[in-house]
Amino acid sequence: MKVGIDSIAFSTSKYFLKLETLALHRRDDYEKYYIGIGQKQMSVFPPNEDIVTIAIDATQKAVAMLPDKNDIDLLIFATESSFDLSKSAGIYVHRFLQLKENCRVFDLKQACYSATAALQLAKSYVKENPRSKVLVVASDIVKYLPNTSGEPTQGGAAVSMIVAKDPRILTLEPHSGIHTTDIMDFWRPIYKSEALFDNKLSVYNYLKSLNITLERYLEASHLNISDLDCVCYHAPFCKMARKANQQTFKNKFLENSLIYGSLIGNSCSASIYICLLSLLDNTPEDLGEKRIGFFSYGSGSVAEFFSGIISAGYKEMLAPESNRQMIEDRRETPFEEYESIFSGTSAPVSRKYQNVGPVALVKIENDKRIYEFLCPNKNL
Ligand code: HMG
């Protein structure tokens, strides 16, 4: 039975900061950000937007492609930016999407790797329950301390994917190469909202994990590197994917897969699937029946190399114009506003800022996050 991604959509904030502006205020050379790191802009998230609101926006678009959302009986929310150590962020998505009550919901965490873990779990679940559909949501907002080397690689986005049999976008293949090792290359203690990292160690371990997992994948699948038509990499910044690509594989479609990420910034768990969407949306050639390799990396660290075959007719399931429009429609944030949003000194939740999707975080009351539809009586 073929199982894989049947529908996919993404969302990001309504606001962005130009890295030219950041470079100017940090007295850094813009060429370092643009050429050395490979980034042009980063999404900035106002206080009324969080991992839940962007996840709802991405999910309503992914679910709209299904004949019946009642087929979803498992929702896995992958994130490392959670604001609650107990309640799953997925439960808010479940409520606003009005999914059936007879549906399992939970969050999953392992840095940027968690959405791949969710995808692989979803594949096994559908193999066991062929009539079921699984909703995999990856949503992250990345924050580093100001004036650190990580600052120009901040960003965020949500990707929602429906995993089902006879998928209309991509069939997941059975083989993987996996590598887990205990390393402190990037982490976020629960009392901090900004991630900490060791820049050189993280880049070193990413590339080392790529070598190990690719070799294990090729050995397990009995394929050659030339059997891959393209590879999507976890892209914390575009130069990282370019370095990876140089090390392993001459991928003529690489730049198409990096267009969205260069404007959004690091979206952690969502990043590799943003690359997939960027590749599919921005490649004019028909990629139907092509084999795509995926290198998923989550600091700490767990890495996996796996592959999938693009379905014939996949273009009918995409919305490239509206994806590009969503990015183009973002409003540029002045530097002072970026600083006040990131330091949390702008109003905790205010109507001053727009939301990208139908739901806003309107207040935090008695430590409870209160979300509301922007248009009352909205039915997704
Ligand atoms: P850095 O130490 O500031 O940068 O950190 P650098 O000095 O190594 O310079 C970067 C590149 O810019 C170099 O090129 C320089 O030569 C070049 P390279 O040697 O790499 O080819 N450069 C210039 N180019 C043109 N004009 C100039 C100029 N100056 C320098 N004037 C780093 C850079 C990206 C590491 C930093 O942004 C960082 O620490 N980021 C956070 C950690 C990170 O993203 N690590 C990536 C791997 S780990 C990962 O992917 C997991 C993660 O997503 C988290 C998770 O799993 O949850 C982060």
Side-chain angles (χ1 to χ4, degrees):
M1 184 188 14
K2 288 182 175 182
V3 176
I5 302 170
D6 187 52
S7 161
I8 181 168
F10 87 102
S11 181
T12 188
S13 155
K14 271 280 195 199
Y15 299 87
F16 75 97
L17 181 72
K18 272 191 189 162
L19 290 196
E20 238 167 317
T21 310
L22 183 66
L24 190 75
H25 285 82
R26 298 294 181 232
R27 293 169 205 257
D28 245 338
D29 191 351
Y30 174 56
E31 301 272 293
K32 176 176 175 185
Y33 296 173
Y34 180 56
I35 299 167
I37 293 174
Q39 293 299 118
K40 296 179 191 153
Q41 301 173 359
M42 63 193 200
S43 284
V44 171
F45 293 79
N48 46 312
E49 202 85 270
D50 69 4
I51 53 164
V52 167
T53 59
I54 56 171
I56 290 169
D57 187 43
T59 305
Q60 66 160 346
K61 294 183 247 179
V63 167
M65 305 303 284
L66 293 183
D68 186 358
K69 65 183 176 186
N70 285 325
D71 291 339
I72 299 170
D73 53 24
L74 173 60
L75 188 171
I76 312 177
F77 194 109
T79 187
E80 61 177 290
S81 334
S82 191
F83 41 79
D84 196 311
L85 287 174
S86 176
K87 180 171 172 169
S88 162
I91 292 179
Y92 300 105
V93 177
H94 176 273
R95 163 159 68 104
F96 281 98
L97 266 291
Q98 290 150 357
L99 300 182
K100 66 183 182 188
E101 286 180 15
N102 184 12
C103 174
R104 291 184 176 97
V105 180
F106 59 90
D107 285 4
L108 211 59
K109 176 190 74 177
Q110 178 19 62
C112 301
Y113 171 72
S114 56
T116 297
L119 194 62
Q120 298 290 14
L121 278 178
K123 180 180 85 174
S124 306
Y125 183 89
V126 173
K127 291 221 173 220
E128 185 80 5
N129 306 278
R131 284 162 60 171
S132 296
K133 290 185 168 58
V134 180
L135 174 57
V136 170
V137 182
S139 186
D140 271 310
I141 297 172
V142 184
K143 282 177 79 175
Y144 294 109
L145 285 169
N147 282 304
T148 60
S149 65
E151 191 180 21
T153 68
Q154 294 175 125
V159 167
S160 288
M161 298 179 273
I162 303 289
V163 177
K165 72 169 184 179
D166 301 326
R168 291 171 286 177
I169 294 182
L170 177 121
T171 297
L172 290 163
E173 293 194 291
H175 302 290
S176 283
I178 297 167
H179 178 63
T180 295
T181 185
D182 182 359
I183 185 172
M184 292 304 278
D185 63 331
F186 170 105
W187 66 104
R188 183 169 69 85
I190 52 176
Y191 47 84
K192 282 192 181 293
S193 48
E194 296 90 5
L196 305 173
F197 58 92
D198 180 332
N199 50 355
K200 302 288 177 219
L201 183 64
S202 69
V203 171
Y204 167 80
N205 197 54
Y206 175 113
L207 293 173
K208 183 179 165 195
S209 302
L210 171 60
N211 272 345
I212 296 171
T213 55
L214 177 59
E215 203 180 303
R216 286 185 182 153
Y217 162 80
L218 293 175
E219 199 181 306
S221 61
H222 301 292
L223 293 169
N224 295 312
I225 191 93
S226 56
D227 293 318
L228 297 169
D229 294 294
C230 179
V231 177
C232 288
Y233 301 91
H234 165 56
F237 50 94
C238 292
K239 182 74 173 287
M240 188 74 249
R242 291 188 187 115
K243 275 179 197 259
N245 201 53
Q246 239 169 16
Q247 181 174 291
T248 53
F249 178 74
K250 262 204 159 332
N251 175 359
K252 72 171 176 156
F253 299 115
L254 178 75
E255 291 307 318
N256 299 347
S257 73
L258 300 177
I259 292 171
Y260 293 161
S262 71
L263 303 170
I264 289 170
N266 192 359
S267 55
C268 279
S269 59
S271 160
I272 186 172
Y273 302 102
I274 297 271
C275 287
L276 172 64
L277 257 170
S278 184
L279 170 78
L280 299 180
D281 279 357
N282 296 302
T283 304
E285 291 98 317
D286 185 1
L287 296 175
E289 313 296 347
K290 300 269 190 238
R291 175 176 283 115
I292 312 288
F294 292 88
F295 174 63
S296 183
Y297 177 81
S299 285
S301 67
V302 181
E304 178 165 348
F305 198 102
F306 62 102
S307 60
I309 306 287
I310 303 283
S311 311
Y314 69 97
K315 282 184 193 263
E316 282 169 33
M317 296 298 289
L318 302 176
E321 293 310 324
S322 65
N323 286 339
R324 285 185 210 116
Q325 204 59 47
M326 175 174 55
I327 293 175
E328 263 171 39
D329 282 351
R330 290 175 310 161
R331 209 200 80 189
E332 188 181 343
T333 318
F335 187 74
E336 296 66 32
E337 200 171 10
Y338 152 75
E339 278 202 312
S340 98
I341 287 173
F342 264 79
S343 63
T345 51
S346 66
V349 188
S350 97
R351 293 277 180 181
K352 178 175 155 195
Y353 297 102
Q354 288 181 6
N355 280 82
V356 68
V359 171
L361 172 64
V362 292
K363 59 183 163 184
I364 299 172
E365 202 172 63
N366 299 327
D367 291 323
K368 294 175 188 161
R369 295 172 91 81
I370 313 292
Y371 296 94
E372 280 175 13
F373 278 119
L374 291 163
C375 304
N377 309 320
K378 178 110 186 158
N379 199 348
L380 294 182

